[in-house]
């Protein structure tokens, strides 16, 4: 059962979830806010692909690049318009704001496009498979793994080698002290939302790629997965989020092959049980340490 | 250089400062003393812009800076070594220093500034690639001071730099502060360790429950105030006796 096919598919699923969780944790690290609108950044990227895809003349990579950028722009926009004005208020105010942003974005597409699912055209290789020995592997899964490797290396570089990255790490630890160094609060927070949006956009390509369609509520499931994965991996560091994503992918695939066919539909319930166990016995997640709890003041 | 006039500051309903006024001239080293809870840190927070004053004015080099953001005051040349050091524990010494230079970064002089810090604090060169959190208390204090100096401040403010340090390390830090002053840095030193601070400062202010109790030279202060009550905190934490 644990063959090459299983390994590649699990690594691929874990990669996708790692990117997903990372996007959520970037914002959490700085604002200590679980951004409930995060799933909607994925949704808007999906709709961007739908809209641009109507025009057959535009190559798929342009469509995808624009969709990813669009998610980043929407994420940045929500920071400017919705989160910034309430930033120094209570954490509850921030949470309520993120719910509001989430509902607002859903309704925008519901009204302007349609409440029903819309098709997203994808390049042919998204539905092709590759045969390696006895294993049949979707090309898409290999692309996910490759994309994740490139993104993780790129993000590591940004966080470790650029001044903005160093400032973002410092701000996640001690926000006020970082400002005392002369680092503008707005710069750090905007950068976080933009990176979070970029990650959501990349995830959207592959998430939407499964069903080749997008609907207004498509963001709910990935938000939940990102949340569960970060609880398991550790909310307080980016490494924790990546670990959480991979662990989620692994557990999910193990459950898929272990559970009898009649219980497959309860897979999610099993994942919730695992999360509850984590919250009870290791609330800080697999990867301890990382940031403190200081909030933006 | 710095002039604080009739400063009021509060945390919600609690008023922590009731009309504090103080002044520092260029090249001076001035102490701000007082027991725990007197309002020393609150004064520094108001000057740096971390806390918005309720009332009063703060001018630096002739410019009003009350209600400025922390990031803009450091660019103007006021650098703070925060209480409890507040170094970035998960960042390396190198990264801590790089952020220290953020406010007034100039590529050309960054390397020479670093070399200067290594001369002042040789230990930081040894620990350059280590996480700040792994340093000892004294080393962290040195890092916090070096980080503040990396912005080339015109005014350096230190909030209880000797707190929690061994006597030997305290001596070293005070020597260092004294040395920085001799090199021409203007310094506002907040201390509970009044006795040690008075040895190295030109003038001192004494705060008690959010208002100034005294200001003058160390000699005048020693003559008029029971230093032990300031240093030890006395029985009631918000009062110190003044013998006039
Ligand atoms: N974050 C805060 N919230 C509420 N009250 C505070 C806060 N920080 C300080 N205070 C209060 O303000 C007063 C002055 O505190 P502080 O300036 O920290 O004193 P010092 O630095 O002289 O020890 C104290 O009574 C303290 O309890
Ligand atoms: Mg204090």
């Amino acid at each position: 059962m644990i063959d090459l096919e299983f390994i590649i598919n699990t690594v691929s699923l874990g990669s996708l979830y790692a990117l997903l969780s990372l996007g959520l944790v970037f914002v959490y690290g700085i604002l200590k806010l679980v951004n409930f609108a995060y799933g909607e950044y994925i949704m808007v990227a999906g709709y961007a692909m739908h809209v641009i895809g109507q025009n057959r003349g535009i190559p798929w990579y342009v469509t995808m690049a624009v969709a990813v950028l669009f998610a980043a722009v929407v994420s940045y926009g929500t920071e400017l318009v919705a989160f910034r004005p309430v930033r120094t208020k209570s954490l509850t105010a921030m949470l309520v704001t993120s719910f509001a942003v989430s509902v607002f974005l859903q309704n925008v597409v519901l009204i302007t496009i349609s409440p029903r699912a819309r098709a997203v055209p994808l390049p042919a290789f998204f539905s092709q498979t590759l045969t390696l020995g006895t294993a049949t592997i979707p090309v898409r899964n290999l692309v996910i793994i490759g994309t994740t490797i490139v993104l993780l290396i790129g993000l590591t570089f940004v966080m470790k080698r650029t001044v903005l990255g160093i400032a973002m790490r410092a701000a996640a630890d001690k926000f006020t002290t970082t400002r005392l160094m002369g680092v503008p609060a707005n710069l750090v927070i905007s950068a976080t939302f933009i990176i979070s949006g970029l990650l959501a956009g990349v995830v959207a390509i592959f998430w939407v790629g499964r069903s080749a369609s997008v609907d207004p509520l498509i963001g709910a499931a990935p938000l939940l997965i990102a949340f569960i994965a970060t609880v398991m991996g550790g909310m307080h560091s980016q490494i924790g989020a990546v670990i959480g994503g991979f662990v989620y992918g692994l557990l999910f695939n193990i459950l898929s092959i272990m559970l009898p066919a009649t219980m497959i539909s309860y897979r999610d319930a099993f994942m919730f049980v695992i999360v509850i166990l984590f919250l009870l016995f290791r609330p800080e997640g697999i990867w301890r340490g990382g940031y403190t709890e200081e909030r933006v003041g | 250089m710095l002039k604080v006039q009739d400063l009021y500051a509060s945390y919600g309903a609690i008023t922590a400062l009731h009309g504090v006024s103080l002044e520092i001239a260029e090249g001076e080293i001035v102490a701000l003393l007082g027991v725990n809870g007197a309002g020393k840190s609150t004064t520094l927070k108001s000057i740096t812009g971390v806390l918005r004053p309720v009332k009063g004015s703060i001018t630096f080099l002739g410019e009003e800076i009350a209600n400025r953001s922390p990031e803009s005051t450091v660019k103007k040349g006021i650098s703070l070594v925060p209480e409890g050091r507040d170094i970035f524990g998960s960042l390396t010494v190198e990264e801590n220093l790089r952020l220290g230079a953020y406010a007034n970064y100039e590529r050309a002089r960054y390397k020479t500034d670093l070399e200067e810090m290594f001369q002042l604090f040789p230990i930081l060169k040894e620990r350059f690639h280590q996480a700040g959190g792994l340093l000892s208390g004294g080393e962290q204090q040195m890092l916090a001071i070096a980080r503040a100096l990396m912005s080339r401040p015109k005014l350096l403010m230190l909030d209880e730099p000797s707190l929690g340090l061994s006597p030997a390390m305290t001596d070293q830090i005070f020597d260092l502060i004294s040395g920085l002053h001799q090199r021409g840095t203007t310094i506002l030193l907040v201390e509970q360790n009044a006795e040690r601070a008075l040895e190295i400062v030109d003038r001192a202010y004494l705060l008690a429950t959010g208002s100034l109790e005294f200001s003058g030279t160390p000699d005048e202060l020693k003559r008029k105030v029971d230093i032990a009550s300031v240093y030890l905190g006395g029985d009631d934490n918000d009062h110190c006796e003044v013998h006039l």
Side-chain angles (χ1 to χ4, degrees), chain B residues 11 14 16 34-43 45 83 159-160:
Chain B
Y11 299 97
I14 311 158
V35 296
N36 203 3
K40 306 181 297 294
S41 299
T42 306
T43 307
K45 279 188 215 165
E83 188 169 17
D159 196 346
E160 304 207 29

Side-chain angles (χ1 to χ4, degrees), chain A residues 40-255:
Chain A
E40 274 59 53
Y41 306 151
I42 295 171
M43 186 261 302
V44 296
Y47 275 97
M49 286 194 283
H50 161 73
V51 171
I52 303 165
Q54 311 280 309
N55 187 332
R56 298 281 158 189
I58 297 172
W60 58 269
Y61 47 86
V62 174
T63 307
M64 287 182 182
V66 172
V68 170
L69 288 179
F70 186 63
V73 168
V74 169
S75 177
Y76 176 51
T78 59
E79 191 267 313
L80 278 186
V81 176
F83 293 109
R84 189 170 293 189
V86 294
R87 196 170 73 206
T88 53
K89 307 287 189 294
S90 70
L91 190 53
T92 317
M94 292 280 281
L95 271 177
V96 172
T97 303
S98 83
F99 269 117
V101 170
S102 165
V103 172
F104 174 79
L105 290 174
Q106 286 172 11
N107 279 284
V108 167
V109 291
L110 216 129
I111 292 164
T112 59
I113 300 180
S114 162
R116 275 178 309 185
R118 285 296 157 107
V120 175
L122 290 160
F125 69 82
F126 258 66
S127 44
Q128 285 162 356
T129 55
L130 210 79
T131 311
L132 285 174
T134 56
T136 312
I137 294 148
V139 174
R140 177 164 45 100
N141 287 1
L142 295 175
V143 178
I144 292 176
I145 295 171
T147 308
T148 305
I149 292 170
V150 170
L151 277 179
L152 290 185
I153 291 173
L155 279 175
T156 306
F157 178 83
V158 169
M159 297 307 281
K160 296 260 182 199
R161 292 273 173 269
T162 70
V163 181
L164 180 62
I166 296 171
M168 285 166 74
R169 280 158 57 216
D173 188 9
K174 297 190 167 85
F175 193 80
T176 306
T177 313
T178 308
R179 295 183 70 188
L180 280 169
M181 302 294 111
V183 179
N186 288 339
L187 172 72
V188 170
I189 294 170
S190 298
T192 336
F193 271 89
I194 289 169
I195 292 178
S196 176
L198 286 174
L199 286 165
V202 173
V203 168
I205 293 171
F206 299 108
W207 193 274
V208 168
R210 295 165 162 182
S211 59
S213 72
V214 60
D215 65 84
L217 298 179
I218 199 171
L223 172 71
L224 193 61
I225 292 170
F227 184 65
I228 292 175
T230 46
V231 166
M232 290 196 297
M235 272 260 162
H236 299 283
S237 68
Q238 277 127 23
I239 295 171
V242 171
I243 292 173
F246 279 102
V247 169
Y248 191 111
L250 179 66
L251 288 177
F252 191 80
N253 275 2
I254 288 177
L255 284 176

Side-chain angles (χ1 to χ4, degrees), chain B:
Chain B
M1 179 180 241
L2 178 79
K3 193 167 181 178
V4 175
Q5 277 172 306
D6 201 27
L7 185 68
Y8 283 76
S10 66
Y11 299 97
I14 311 158
T15 304
L17 296 181
H18 310 265
V20 170
S21 301
L22 54 88
E23 226 173 304
I24 302 164
E26 186 156 2
E28 256 191 323
I29 176 165
V30 174
L32 181 59
L33 309 172
V35 296
N36 203 3
K40 306 181 297 294
S41 299
T42 306
T43 307
L44 297 191
K45 279 188 215 165
S46 306
I47 295 170
T48 52
V50 170
L51 194 68
R52 299 268 149 116
V54 174
K55 208 178 112 184
S57 103
I58 304 169
T59 52
F60 181 66
L61 298 169
E63 197 180 331
E64 181 63 47
I65 58 161
N67 295 315
R68 285 285 191 92
S69 66
E71 46 263 44
S72 68
T73 50
V74 65
K75 285 199 170 72
K76 287 257 165 288
I78 302 179
S79 200
L80 174 71
V81 179
E83 188 169 17
R85 312 182 254 279
D86 261 356
I87 56 139
F88 303 112
S90 57
L91 270 55
T92 63
V93 168
E94 177 179 19
E95 290 167 338
N96 270 277
L97 294 174
R98 178 61 188 83
L99 283 185
Y102 188 99
N104 297 308
Y105 181 75
E106 275 177 35
R107 201 192 184 97
R109 68 180 196 204
Y110 179 68
K111 276 272 179 303
T112 38
D113 285 0
L114 261 188
E115 282 306 323
E116 207 180 318
M117 290 310 128
F118 292 157
Q119 296 227 308
L120 282 170
F121 313 95
I123 192 74
L124 295 185
K125 187 168 189 172
E126 271 171 51
R127 302 261 191 268
F128 200 49
H129 298 294
Q130 271 181 28
L134 298 178
L135 271 54
S136 74
E139 290 165 359
Q140 290 192 1
Q141 189 63 66
M142 290 180 187
L143 176 57
I145 296 174
R147 187 182 65 180
L149 289 173
M150 286 300 284
S151 69
R152 297 201 165 196
K154 297 184 182 100
L155 170 65
L156 179 68
M157 307 197 297
L158 301 109
D159 196 346
E160 304 207 29
S162 72
L163 194 74
L165 298 186
S166 69
M169 190 50 81
T170 303
D171 284 345
Q172 210 179 327
I173 294 288
F174 273 104
D175 285 348
L176 190 102
I177 294 168
S178 198
L180 289 175
H181 171 237
Q182 269 144 33
R183 291 190 337 171
T185 315
T186 311
I187 296 175
L188 176 59
L189 173 64
V190 162
E191 263 299 335
Q192 270 196 72
N193 192 339
E195 240 160 341
R196 279 308 260 112
L198 287 176
E199 286 168 18
I200 62 166
V201 297
D202 300 329
R203 286 187 305 112
Y205 291 92
L206 180 61
L207 261 183
T209 47
S211 21
L212 278 184
E213 194 99 318
F214 178 87
S215 85
T217 64
D219 283 341
E220 289 169 342
L221 186 67
K222 280 177 195 157
R223 248 182 283 124
K224 287 183 182 159
V225 182
D226 177 7
I227 291 299
S229 76
V230 180
Y231 183 20
L232 300 170
D235 290 334
D236 52 344
N237 257 359
D238 52 14
H239 179 81
C240 53
E241 281 172 65
V242 178
H243 309 290
L244 294 168

